[in-house]
Amino acid sequence: MRYTPDYLLTDSDEVKRLIRENPWATIVSATASGIVASHYPVVLDDDADGISIVSHVGRPDERAHELGQHEVLVIIQGPHGYISPGWYETDDFVPTWNHVTAHLYGTPEILSDDENFRVLGELVDHFEERMPEPMSLQIDEQVARHVATGTVGIRISITRFDARAKLSQNKAPEVVERIVAALDSDGPYSHPGLAAEMRAAVVRAAEMGAAEMRVAE
């Protein structure tokens, strides 16, 4: 991503939150045959140190990506949307696109069949817990294990990440308030999720400013 210091997201806890709330990831590999990209759900491995994610790919994607042989890029895309200059109420007429995005890097570890099945079960349980009558792979483990043979489980311990939270930090507070109000409305380009990220960014900036003042004292 373009290097923009004002938008850097360096807090690993915030990156973890981004992964939890936006689990549909893009996995990109530079292979001997060229660049390969696939899309799969990921979940955090909370038992690991640092940032670690687990997922699976459908066969034969593990061969297409040459998984385990090299580093891959995992892209997490959070809320994003068009920002109209019509919301600024200033002379600025240039639009932009706000977003929260993380690029994660690591070399996948191929899971054993048993661990893959366990991870698949946890993945289903993770997403089913919101349902009034959650489904589970344990309903028929034999059938579920047969389906699981068509997948390959992976764990990626993230060795580095490059994340951005571009949320109109370069605008005056009153302009940011108008943008948030527009995103929260039912008008064109409304996006409550992006509005929430912008509010959170304002809070983070205020907390950082207060912390810096305490250190200076």
Side-chain angles (χ1 to χ4, degrees), residues 104-120:
L104 315 174
Y105 299 87
T107 301
E109 167 198 352
I110 306 299
L111 304 182
S112 67
D113 290 344
D114 284 342
E115 191 170 13
N116 178 40
F117 186 73
R118 177 183 63 78
V119 168
L120 286 172

Side-chain angles (χ1 to χ4, degrees), residues 6-129:
D6 290 343
Y7 305 142
L8 283 175
L9 187 60
T10 59
D11 186 342
S12 60
D13 286 338
E14 279 298 303
V15 173
K16 287 181 178 180
R17 179 185 66 84
L18 185 66
I19 296 169
R20 286 191 187 96
E21 296 178 2
N22 304 275
W24 185 243
T26 300
I27 301 173
V28 183
S29 299
T31 74
S33 301
I35 295 175
V36 178
S38 298
H39 312 272
Y40 290 97
V42 300
V43 294
L44 283 168
D45 182 356
D46 289 321
D47 294 331
D49 295 330
I51 301 175
S52 180
I53 56 177
V54 289
S55 183
H56 66 278
V57 300
R59 298 180 189 277
D61 263 8
E62 83 284 5
R63 295 201 301 272
H65 280 270
E66 300 173 351
L67 291 180
Q69 300 180 37
H70 51 68
E71 185 179 66
V72 299
L73 163 64
V74 180
I75 301 173
I76 303 295
Q77 181 66 72
H80 62 92
Y82 178 74
I83 306 300
S84 170
W87 299 339
Y88 298 163
E89 297 182 16
T90 67
D91 292 334
D92 189 350
F93 60 89
V94 180
T96 191
W97 200 280
N98 280 359
H99 66 95
V100 186
T101 308
H103 289 180
L104 315 174
Y105 299 87
T107 301
E109 167 198 352
I110 306 299
L111 304 182
S112 67
D113 290 344
D114 284 342
E115 191 170 13
N116 178 40
F117 186 73
R118 177 183 63 78
V119 168
L120 286 172
E122 292 176 354
L123 188 72
V124 171
D125 293 343
H126 173 76
F127 291 109
E128 280 290 320
E129 65 182 3

Side-chain angles (χ1 to χ4, degrees), residues 109-184:
E109 167 198 352
I110 306 299
L111 304 182
S112 67
D113 290 344
D114 284 342
E115 191 170 13
N116 178 40
F117 186 73
R118 177 183 63 78
V119 168
L120 286 172
E122 292 176 354
L123 188 72
V124 171
D125 293 343
H126 173 76
F127 291 109
E128 280 290 320
E129 65 182 3
R130 301 182 187 180
M131 299 298 291
E133 297 181 9
M135 304 296 283
S136 168
L137 296 188
Q138 299 305 315
I139 290 174
D140 191 330
E141 183 175 336
Q142 184 176 355
V143 170
R145 284 187 177 276
H146 176 72
V147 173
T149 60
T151 69
V152 174
I154 56 174
R155 176 182 291 106
I156 308 176
S157 297
I158 305 306
T159 56
R160 59 192 173 96
F161 65 83
D162 182 16
R164 300 288 186 279
K166 179 181 178 295
L167 299 167
S168 298
Q169 294 97 323
N170 60 331
K171 301 298 181 185
E174 62 272 17
V175 175
V176 172
E177 289 180 6
R178 288 194 287 270
I179 295 172
V180 170
L183 291 169
D184 256 341

Side-chain angles (χ1 to χ4, degrees), residues 9 11 14 17 100 165 167 169 196-210:
L9 187 60
D11 186 342
E14 279 298 303
R17 179 185 66 84
V100 186
L167 299 167
Q169 294 97 323
E197 287 289 344
M198 291 185 65
R199 288 195 201 92
V202 171
V203 172
R204 286 197 301 270
E207 291 175 345
M208 289 178 61

